[in-house]
Amino acid sequence: MPAYWISNYRAVRDDEKMAAYAALAGPALVEAGGRFLARGLPEQVYEAGLRERVVVIEFDSVDAAVAAHDAPAYQEALAALGDGAERDIRIVPGV
């Protein structure tokens, strides 16, 4: 069953750290089997929706998404990001 990694960016504090993170994270997550489905600011929000940057990545399973997060290549990307952004990351099983 597919799983979805959903990142909501509450704040970007350092554009250079974000760029360094993106340069490492994208390839690391694709290498781990991730498929980027959506990335950017919402075109429209409703109810209590926030106009925050969102990234949605599909993986073959929850285990694959967790393994991608915990892999050394992605951990290197996290180290590059450091305190450059405040985010909420969720891994959600598909239906």
Side-chain angles (χ1 to χ4, degrees):
M1 174 184 318
Y4 300 91
W5 168 319
I6 304 167
S7 301
N8 295 303
Y9 284 75
R10 306 276 185 241
V12 174
R13 298 188 180 111
D14 187 318
D15 290 332
E16 289 182 19
K17 288 181 179 181
M18 270 295 296
Y21 165 80
L24 296 169
L29 295 172
V30 168
E31 172 95 11
R35 294 170 296 284
F36 283 80
L37 301 181
R39 177 174 34 210
L41 292 171
E43 292 293 319
Q44 183 64 45
V45 296
Y46 295 100
E47 299 182 29
L50 301 174
R51 199 166 292 281
E52 299 174 336
R53 177 179 172 79
V54 176
V55 177
V56 179
I57 309 166
E58 182 179 51
F59 286 87
D60 288 339
S61 66
V62 169
D63 289 342
V66 170
H69 180 276
D70 296 346
Y74 185 72
Q75 292 302 306
E76 181 182 352
L78 283 179
L81 178 60
D83 63 354
E86 178 185 342
R87 321 180 286 168
D88 167 10
I89 298 176
R90 301 163 189 215
I91 296 174
V92 181
V95 292

